Amino acid sequence: VKCLSCGDLTSRTAMQQRLHEHNPHWNDLLSSFEARADGDAELQGVDYEQFNIPACSKCGGVLKPDVVFFGDNVPKAVVD
């Protein structure tokens, strides 16, 4: 997971832990859902506005998975 402001990288494991810490009320819900074959889950009656997305621990910036999404540009350093 990468900060869009400062570029700090957070491991997926560390980010998962932070998500659990910021959303303790989701722990029971997560143990009761059924995952689909594609990894998605159908969560009925869930108020997603109550889900807290943590900010960058270094600068408070927005975090994004460190992947290239369809339609995004591949960073030059990766291409080279």
Side-chain angles (χ1 to χ4, degrees):
V1 179
K2 185 175 186 176
C3 176
L4 296 178
S5 296
C6 72
D8 186 58
L9 293 174
T10 303
S11 73
R12 183 66 183 113
T13 302
M15 186 63 194
Q16 192 67 34
Q17 181 62 37
R18 290 185 66 207
L19 287 168
H20 283 292
E21 290 168 1
H22 281 77
N23 299 284
H25 54 285
W26 280 69
N27 290 334
D28 290 338
L29 176 66
L30 293 176
S31 64
S32 65
F33 76 91
E34 184 176 328
R36 296 182 189 155
D38 64 0
D40 284 348
E42 183 74 31
L43 303 176
Q44 298 293 326
V46 175
D47 183 4
Y48 291 101
E49 296 207 12
Q50 298 300 316
F51 190 83
N52 299 307
I53 301 171
C56 175
S57 58
K58 301 266 187 202
C59 75
V62 175
L63 299 173
K64 174 186 175 230
D66 191 24
V67 298
V68 177
F69 288 103
F70 183 80
D72 284 351
N73 292 322
V74 177
K76 184 168 175 29
V78 173
V79 174
D80 293 339

